[in-house]
Amino acid sequence: TAIRTAASSAVSIAHLARPDSKVLGMVGAGHQAGFQLRAAVEQRSFERVVAWNFHPDMLPGLEAVAKDVGLPFEAVERDKLGAEADVIITISSAFEPQMMRDWVKPGTHLACMGTDTKGKQEVDAELVAAATVFTDEVAQSVSIGETQHAINAGLIKESDITPIGAVINGTHQGRQSDDEITLFDGT
């Protein structure tokens, strides 16, 4: 599961993140976070990693992975993470937003990988609504994925969500500008 989930977010980074992305942000430092970090660094020439976790005592494990792949690592608060990161991977088991819309800068790509159950939530619904949203499975995204809260609040519609396969197959452009926030809801 950890490898499959990391591969899924890596595909989203390959197809949706800005080519000049330099800072990787990690929200979550559990078992899957290391897999996510390793897969992400294969997609862009990241120069450093910034990270936050609800339990800061878990961050040294993620720092060791960053060092193993040759990247400097910094533990930061979430607002700083959002202000600095070009790509943000959320990989937590949260039931409330870990990242807020006001914290994320224009042009960021988010790979939201932890929301896989009704009620879970990693980013606030306003952030989902501000982004161009992609997913691996639309039906799961709206029922148990990160978009469930924005859908339920009436901020987006199911038709606003694009399958990542459309980008891979060339039937959807994907990212359309350097300022666009893209979000991949990996269910």
Side-chain angles (χ1 to χ4, degrees):
T1 296
I3 292 169
R4 178 193 55 77
T5 304
S8 182
S9 69
V11 166
S12 83
I13 294 166
H15 289 277
L16 297 170
R18 290 187 342 266
D20 64 345
S21 296
K22 298 296 180 198
V23 180
L24 175 62
M26 298 290 303
V27 176
H31 173 71
Q32 290 196 29
F35 291 93
Q36 292 286 330
L37 194 156
R38 287 182 189 281
V41 300
E42 297 296 324
Q43 309 313 311
R44 293 291 183 267
S45 298
F46 293 110
E47 296 175 352
R48 63 191 183 97
V49 177
V50 292
W52 177 88
N53 192 63
F54 187 76
H55 300 286
D57 57 311
M58 294 176 70
L59 287 169
L62 191 57
E63 181 177 15
V65 175
K67 288 185 177 184
D68 188 51
V69 299
L71 292 176
F73 178 94
E74 182 182 4
V76 297
E77 292 301 319
R78 292 174 287 172
D79 58 341
K80 183 175 180 182
L81 186 149
E84 294 184 5
D86 301 306
V87 172
I88 299 171
I89 298 173
T90 59
I91 186 72
S92 71
S93 56
F95 280 86
E96 62 185 41
Q98 303 300 296
M99 292 298 296
M100 306 305 284
R101 167 62 191 104
D102 292 343
W103 300 343
V104 175
K105 69 182 181 178
T108 301
H109 172 63
L110 294 102
C112 300
M113 305 306 296
T115 303
D116 58 1
T117 303
K118 189 114 179 114
K120 277 189 173 182
Q121 184 176 17
E122 294 187 298
V123 302
D124 80 316
E126 296 290 335
L127 178 51
V128 174
T132 304
V133 180
F134 301 86
T135 190
D136 46 0
E137 174 55 50
V138 175
Q140 283 187 197
S141 176
V142 301
S143 63
I144 63 169
E146 194 60 47
T147 66
Q148 65 182 291
H149 304 284
I151 292 273
N152 292 339
L155 298 174
I156 65 169
K157 303 179 300 296
E158 185 173 331
S159 61
D160 294 324
I161 304 166
T162 302
I164 189 77
V167 179
I168 295 166
N169 293 329
T171 57
H172 188 283
Q173 180 179 345
R175 172 178 291 280
Q176 297 179 38
S177 76
D178 286 345
D179 289 338
E180 179 181 18
I181 296 172
T182 56
L183 186 147
F184 175 69
D185 181 7
T187 63

